[in-house]
Amino acid sequence: MMNICQSCGMSMKNEGLYGKNKDGSVNIDYCKYCYPNGEFNKFNETFDEMVESCIPYEVKEGFTEDEARKRLIQNLRILKRWR
Ligand SMILES: [Zn+2]
């Protein structure tokens, strides 16, 4: 089973992409970009800010900005961090 970061929705295809807890152990819920060392990289980031920051990556995949925003709102709002 492939884990998806419960903050940004990125697929974590290998352990190197997982986040880290304060004690250095692997955190399987979040990716290394969102959760590098026991806390969120941007701890006070809002849901809307996360959606906006992910849009360029979706656009690179071929979606328009509007499509990307809709997809991200749907995909991210079910994740643990944003529930
Ligand atoms: Zn992430």
Side-chain angles (χ1 to χ4, degrees), residues 19-37:
K20 285 251 178 2
N21 296 312
K22 271 226 152 61
D23 63 5
S25 60
V26 171
N27 185 301
I28 62 166
D29 283 337
Y30 301 110
C31 75
K32 65 176 185 178
Y33 305 109
C34 291
Y35 205 81
N37 52 20

Side-chain angles (χ1 to χ4, degrees), residues 50-82:
M50 176 58 83
V51 166
E52 293 304 313
S53 71
C54 290
I55 284 175
Y57 300 103
E58 296 281 306
V59 169
K60 258 190 223 160
E61 304 283 318
F63 296 98
T64 68
E65 206 177 303
D66 279 353
E67 284 169 349
R69 188 173 288 108
K70 272 189 205 138
R71 277 168 54 84
L72 285 160
I73 288 170
Q74 271 182 359
N75 294 341
L76 298 185
R77 71 176 176 200
I78 58 170
L79 300 176
K80 197 195 248 183
R81 186 179 179 187
W82 311 114

